[in-house]
Amino acid sequence: MEVDNRKRLPSLTGLRFFAAFSVFVFHVMLPASPIPPYKPVNLFSDPDIAYDAAWVVGKAGFLGVSFFFVLSGFVLTWSWKPGSSKLQFIRRRVVKIFPNHLTLWVASMVLFAAAITPWKAWLPNLFLIHAWFPQNYINAGVNTPSWTLSCELLFYVLFPFLIPVVLRIESKYLWYCAAAMVAGICVIVLLTAFVIPSSEKSELTPIPVLQLWFGYLFPPSRLFEFFLGVFVARIVQEGRWIRVPLWASLAAVVAGYVVAMYTPFYVGFVLATAVPLALLIGSAAQSDLDGASRFLSSRLMVRLGEISFAFYICQGVTLFYVRRTMDAATFSAPVAVSLIVALFLLNILAAWSLFTFVESPAMRRFARPKRVAVVAEKVAS
């Protein structure tokens, strides 16, 4: 039984905020900032608390990023209309990410990046191709969180050309295709561990720079997550989704997270949590279709989900830059927790401002050709 893909899935929007928040808690506990001179972000003066907090949330950033990549594949497939213009699709997606990116790029350059970033780093970052470079000063330069947009840009360019092929796959083969994407993720892990040559150790991780780049940052390496989301969307559309309760899929995500904590570092990038995240996204979508969603589809969660992209992309300034201005100062637990809450609220405020005054106006003004927008306005009036 095919499902109407025009039905809205608010629970997925609500889940987006938790993914963005998981990246925030990961970033705020980092023992080393991605901004030179790589001083600690973690605010706790007690070394035991600082270590334990960083260890507990040490895979949260990987989890959040992987969620967004799988979700991108799902949402784009769910909303795709056969026969849609490839150019208009790419235009809309570029308008979705570039205004926010350019705003934070300028803010980062003005506040700190221009003084410490050579043109070889800021120029690729400007055009969102910086994650293709293995050098850490390039792929993590300027506004550090923007590396994921290099991956998303690749997804957006490939999607309209490949989705017609995906739509021709018979429904009985879709689960096998999803399994093939998981196998592809396994191949990336094996290549990272046994083929990618050793190099200098990363400032931010316990593994070499080249392994971090290929296994985590390199855009083609993340395509399997994206297409896992594509096939999960098709499975749900075709009415072939397995009935996994939402609580069970959440438990699977927690279990995957624990596996990531106790396995080799590069396993925690994607492999440990990819299947649980796919289950969570598919189950949340099915919950919406069944009319069973409540909390995740509430007005508050949907609103927070709408600003989640802005919440994520602002962290390079509202967290890393603000922490940099504090030098390497650390604090007692109560003060550190208060500062973390303050940084979170600052990030929420910045995200709301970016969404309200940049992202939304840009989408209204530039996401569609002028002629189509004018016709739509006349019809609405």
Side-chain angles (χ1 to χ4, degrees):
M1 179 184 67
E2 190 171 340
V3 175
D4 182 3
N5 67 346
R6 292 172 296 180
K7 184 174 177 62
R8 293 183 67 253
L9 304 175
S11 291
L12 297 184
T13 305
L15 280 172
R16 287 175 60 90
F17 179 75
F18 288 106
F21 179 73
S22 72
V23 176
F24 174 84
V25 297
F26 167 77
H27 282 159
V28 82
M29 297 300 176
L30 282 174
S33 172
I35 298 176
Y38 308 114
K39 293 182 179 180
V41 180
N42 197 307
L43 290 156
F44 292 98
S45 57
D46 186 316
D48 293 331
I49 296 177
Y51 175 84
D52 290 344
W55 182 76
V56 169
V57 303
K59 306 298 180 181
F62 306 148
L63 179 77
V65 168
S66 192
F67 174 89
F68 279 121
F69 288 166
V70 178
L71 183 66
S72 287
F74 186 102
V75 170
L76 295 182
T77 304
W78 189 263
S79 59
W80 176 260
K81 297 178 181 179
S84 296
S85 166
K86 297 178 178 62
L87 183 61
Q88 294 307 324
F89 170 85
I90 294 173
R91 170 188 176 135
R92 183 172 178 83
R93 301 319 302 173
V94 166
V95 171
K96 176 69 175 177
I97 62 174
F98 261 93
N100 281 5
H101 162 62
L102 293 175
T103 301
L104 270 298
W105 187 91
V106 170
S108 299
M109 290 292 286
V110 170
L111 291 171
F112 64 91
I116 60 175
T117 310
W119 71 267
K120 293 179 181 179
W122 64 251
L123 188 60
N125 188 286
L126 176 62
F127 292 101
L128 292 181
I129 58 172
H130 52 304
W132 292 82
F133 292 80
Q135 296 88 350
N136 193 55
Y137 79 95
I138 297 179
N139 57 51
V142 192
N143 183 35
T144 301
S146 67
W147 74 266
T148 61
L149 302 186
S150 284
C151 301
E152 293 282 1
L153 194 58
L154 175 65
F155 304 160
Y156 298 158
V157 170
L158 291 179
F159 179 80
F161 296 95
L162 295 180
I163 189 61
V165 178
V166 172
L167 293 176
R168 286 197 292 268
I169 298 174
E170 293 185 43
S171 61
K172 62 183 178 181
Y173 297 121
L174 292 174
W175 277 106
Y176 296 107
C177 293
M181 297 304 100
V182 178
I185 294 170
C186 293
V187 170
I188 296 298
V189 171
L190 293 174
L191 291 174
T192 302
F194 300 110
V195 176
I196 301 301
S198 183
S199 63
E200 72 274 16
K201 179 184 171 298
S202 167
E203 295 283 352
L204 305 176
T205 69
I207 64 174
V209 167
L210 283 179
Q211 287 188 337
L212 172 65
W213 171 70
F214 181 81
Y216 188 61
L217 303 171
F218 188 42
S221 295
R222 308 308 295 258
L223 280 170
F224 293 107
E225 293 154 89
F226 176 76
F227 280 99
L228 176 60
V230 168
F231 287 114
V232 169
R234 276 224 58 203
I235 290 168
V236 175
Q237 285 176 336
E238 296 291 334
R240 289 177 171 266
W241 185 250
I242 53 176
R243 293 289 175 164
V244 179
L246 195 55
W247 66 264
S249 61
L250 285 168
V253 171
V254 173
Y257 189 90
V258 173
V259 170
M261 294 172 71
Y262 290 98
T263 49
F265 194 79
Y266 34 75
V267 174
F269 287 157
V270 179
L271 183 58
T273 56
V275 172
L277 287 173
L279 287 175
L280 175 61
I281 290 169
S283 297
Q286 190 63 57
S287 178
D288 279 335
L289 293 174
D290 295 339
S293 177
R294 293 292 183 270
F295 172 67
L296 288 174
S297 60
S298 65
R299 174 180 291 187
L300 173 62
M301 291 312 306
V302 169
R303 184 59 174 169
L304 288 173
E306 289 173 345
I307 67 169
S308 61
F309 170 43
F311 183 85
Y312 168 79
I313 202 68
C314 282
Q315 291 177 33
V317 171
T318 59
L319 179 54
F320 296 143
Y321 170 71
V322 171
R323 184 65 177 102
R324 186 172 183 261
T325 63
M326 300 163 65
D327 199 22
T330 54
F331 308 90
S332 64
V335 175
V337 170
S338 299
L339 287 172
I340 290 170
V341 172
L343 287 169
F344 169 76
L345 294 176
L346 175 64
N347 208 82
I348 285 283
L349 178 60
W352 175 84
S353 300
L354 192 65
F355 177 81
T356 303
F357 300 111
V358 177
E359 183 178 335
S360 292
M363 289 297 291
R364 288 194 300 268
R365 175 66 178 83
F366 300 110
R368 293 183 295 176
K370 187 174 182 180
R371 183 187 303 174
V372 174
V374 170
V375 171
E377 289 176 3
K378 289 181 177 179
V379 170
S381 61

